[in-house]
């Protein structure tokens, strides 16, 4: 199944932009380039937040929605029966369905510890993740330490510029400081986790969690935007959807719905 190619939106996007393919050509980070090209060719800007807790559920979910996504976002430490075979199977599926794997580890410690968390331990994230999320809260040292490690393992960093949860303590000044830090590590930063597009630099990918078609939020502070609103009003390049898809009666059909909504909104941004 392919999504409709013609945009149907009448809302003018807040951020006119280049196409994914044009942006891929200017990316300094190779994972950002891979992701933009994949989004262009596969015609999807949908990422799945696969917050299920067993190997079987995770692989079944990936088989159901793999054809619709550009990125699988994981929390590997919530899997109760993790083993190396899971990583092997996920990498196989990443190739089969063509998507990147992001470990949403949110590294936030001092640089030395973050590198150990990235490269060591039972999950050995560096050996399989295409992208990892990173808090810049610890200061420049975390990026100075993680950047060479990411380069060595061909992994891109997504820096948290915002959070989607109500009452998040991130201020505008903090966000701007994160964007400035990214510029110092252009070859290893693939983009940002955002609530509002933070940079008009075409080489960074703005990834937006907190997207749901039918809900405004949850009981723990999560806040949702619709795919259209995320892309057209808040400048998302990638929409990240978890419960909206994996809690649906038919996750594959729902993933297709989100894929269409997200990609049509993207096509609308190209008209302006
Ligand atoms: P949901 O089920 O669509 O609410 O899941 C959202 C996912 O995105 C979940 O894995 C969170 O850990 C992740 N997330 C988020 O919701 N908000 C943020 O600011 C960041 C990550 Br950073």
């Amino acid at each position: 199944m392919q999504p409709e190619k013609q945009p149907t939106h009448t809302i003018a996007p807040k951020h006119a932009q280049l196409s994914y393919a044009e942006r891929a050509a200017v990316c300094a980070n190779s994972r950002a380039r891979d992701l933009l090209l994949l989004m262009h060719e596969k015609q999807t800007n949908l990422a799945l937040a696969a917050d299920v807790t067993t190997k079987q559920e995770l692989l079944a979910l990936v088989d159901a929605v793999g054809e619709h996504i550009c990125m699988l976002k994981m929390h590997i430490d919530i899997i109760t029966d993790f083993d190396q075979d899971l990583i092997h199977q996920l990498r196989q599926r990443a190739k089969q369905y063509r998507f990147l794997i992001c470990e949403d580890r949110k590294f936030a410690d001092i640089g030395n510890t973050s590198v150990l968390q990235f490269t060591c331990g039972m999950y050995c994230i560096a050996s399989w993740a295409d992208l990892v999320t990173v808090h810049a809260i610890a200061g420049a040292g975390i990026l100075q330490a993680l950047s060479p490690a990411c380069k060595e393992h061909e992994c891109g960093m997504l820096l948290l510029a915002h959070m989607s949860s109500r009452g998040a303590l991130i201020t505008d000044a903090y966000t701007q400081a994160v964007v400035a830090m990214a510029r110092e590590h252009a070859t290893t930063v693939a983009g940002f986790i955002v609530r509002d597009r933070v940079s008009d630099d075409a080489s960074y990918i703005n990834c937006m969690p907190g997207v749901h078609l039918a809900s405004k939020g949850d009981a723990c502070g999560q806040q949702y935007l619709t795919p259209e609103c995320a892309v057209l009003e808040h400048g998302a390049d990638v929409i990240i959807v978890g419960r909206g898809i994996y809690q649906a009666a038919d996750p594959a059909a729902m993933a297709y719905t989100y894929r269409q909504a997200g990609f049509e909104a993207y096509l609308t941004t190209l008209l302006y």
Side-chain angles (χ1 to χ4, degrees):
M1 270 194 302
Q2 288 294 314
E4 286 290 316
K5 289 187 185 171
Q6 289 308 309
T8 56
H9 297 279
T10 50
I11 316 170
K14 218 166 131 192
H15 305 269
Q17 60 177 29
L18 300 172
S19 70
Y20 297 145
E22 290 168 313
R23 291 173 59 185
V26 299
C27 282
N29 176 255
S30 59
R31 290 307 187 196
R33 188 162 57 237
D34 292 345
L35 183 56
L36 286 163
L37 274 180
L38 188 165
M39 290 159 69
H40 167 70
E41 288 167 14
K42 196 171 166 183
Q43 300 192 347
T44 175
N45 55 10
L46 173 65
L48 172 72
D51 295 340
V52 293
T53 58
T54 65
K55 187 175 163 181
Q56 193 187 356
E57 283 173 290
L58 179 56
L59 293 176
L61 184 60
V62 171
D63 281 330
V65 310
E67 67 173 301
H68 297 304
I69 61 174
C70 61
M71 185 204 295
L72 173 68
K73 191 185 76 64
M74 314 259 309
H75 288 289
I76 200 68
D77 56 353
I78 65 174
I79 304 291
T80 51
D81 53 351
F82 169 84
D83 60 12
Q84 281 307 319
D85 177 63
L86 174 60
I87 297 305
H88 176 69
Q89 301 233 34
L90 287 172
R91 289 295 346 162
Q92 263 188 346
R93 282 163 173 79
K95 200 169 171 192
Q96 178 188 349
Y97 298 112
R98 202 165 174 219
F99 55 75
L100 296 195
I101 302 181
C102 173
E103 169 54 24
D104 191 4
R105 176 61 182 75
K106 299 184 181 74
F107 295 107
D109 213 314
I110 60 167
N112 185 62
T113 305
S114 294
V115 170
L116 294 173
Q117 290 169 327
F118 176 53
T119 56
C120 304
M122 65 186 277
Y123 301 121
C124 198
I125 295 166
S127 70
W128 52 268
D130 298 308
L131 296 160
V132 289
T133 54
V134 180
H135 271 295
I137 185 78
I142 189 171
L143 298 190
Q144 276 157 19
L146 275 176
S147 192
C150 281
K151 191 166 279 179
E152 183 187 339
H153 294 279
E154 295 180 17
C155 182
M157 293 188 279
L158 295 173
L159 307 186
L160 275 78
H162 298 131
M163 290 197 74
S164 61
S165 43
R166 184 175 307 111
L169 300 177
I170 293 175
T171 60
D172 287 349
Y174 179 95
T175 300
Q176 288 317 310
V178 172
V179 174
M181 284 166 76
R183 286 190 206 108
E184 305 292 312
H185 301 279
T187 57
T188 44
V189 173
F192 302 99
I193 300 288
V194 299
R195 200 58 178 161
D196 264 307
R197 194 182 197 86
V198 286
S199 168
D200 281 327
D201 184 331
S203 58
Y204 293 125
I205 304 179
N206 293 264
C207 301
M208 198 171 296
V211 175
H212 201 295
L213 274 164
S215 169
K216 293 263 179 275
D218 69 10
C220 310
Q222 176 66 298
Q223 304 179 105
Y224 288 124
L225 302 169
T226 63
E228 292 81 359
C229 181
V231 174
L232 295 176
E233 291 178 36
H234 295 264
D237 296 314
V238 172
I239 54 168
I240 302 175
V241 183
R243 285 165 283 184
I245 291 175
Y246 68 77
Q247 287 183 345
D250 184 344
M254 191 56 87
Y256 178 64
T257 301
Y258 276 95
R259 173 192 187 168
Q260 274 193 304
F263 205 76
E264 283 178 8
Y266 156 69
L267 291 176
T268 298
T269 67
L270 301 181
L271 299 177
Y272 289 83

